[in-house]
Amino acid sequence: MRSGKAAKRLLNLTGGVVTAGKDWTDDGEVYEVHSRKRRAATATRPVPIPPQFVRVLRAHAGRFGVAPDGRLFQNQAGNYVEAAAYGITWSRARGYVLTRTELAAGLAKRPYDPPACRDLVLAPLGR
């Protein structure tokens, strides 16, 4: 997140990390870092985010810090978060935020369900 009044509501995305497996990467690592598709390696993409999300991310960074490469999310060893951890964390978040009826209906069953993402992020903040 950039600093300054006008930039407080932007995330600057620089690329992504792909889990490929040690047998499929050039350097034998599990992960490959890529720039955004069809973009220069240094290109960024500013993405506007709501003020509530800014507060959540700043609180997270204040509590857990950021990785040396600027990532907001890292495991306890400072490495990339394993894919399985997302499902475990998502399941816990659903149980914490949703009612029994919403859980039974399958609301927010997958992290990429758009309305579910918004609701799970904003619910602890009082929507």
Side-chain angles (χ1 to χ4, degrees):
M1 292 178 291
R2 294 185 354 205
S3 59
K5 278 193 181 259
K8 285 187 178 180
R9 296 173 65 182
L10 290 176
L11 285 179
N12 284 311
L13 305 180
T14 59
V17 178
V18 177
T19 305
K22 292 179 180 183
D23 294 336
W24 303 101
T25 59
D26 293 336
D27 59 6
E29 294 293 324
V30 175
Y31 301 99
E32 283 188 333
V33 178
H34 293 276
S35 59
R36 293 178 44 241
K37 291 181 180 178
R38 296 184 278 293
R39 301 285 192 272
T42 58
T44 62
R45 176 179 171 225
V47 178
I49 59 174
Q52 300 95 324
F53 195 35
V54 172
R55 285 194 294 274
V56 169
L57 292 177
R58 287 194 188 281
H60 177 85
R63 181 174 177 190
F64 300 104
V66 296
D69 63 2
R71 284 177 291 115
L72 287 172
F73 303 102
Q74 56 187 322
N75 65 18
Q76 289 180 325
N79 298 320
Y80 294 108
V81 177
E82 296 292 331
Y86 289 108
I88 293 166
T89 302
W90 190 260
S91 179
R92 287 179 185 162
R94 288 182 74 236
Y96 176 75
V97 174
L98 301 177
T99 66
R100 287 187 185 139
T101 304
E102 291 169 332
L103 286 169
L107 180 66
K109 192 163 190 169
R110 298 173 306 256
Y112 47 84
D113 289 345
C117 293
R118 180 193 66 235
D119 289 346
L120 281 176
V121 169
L122 298 179
L125 303 172
R127 294 184 195 212

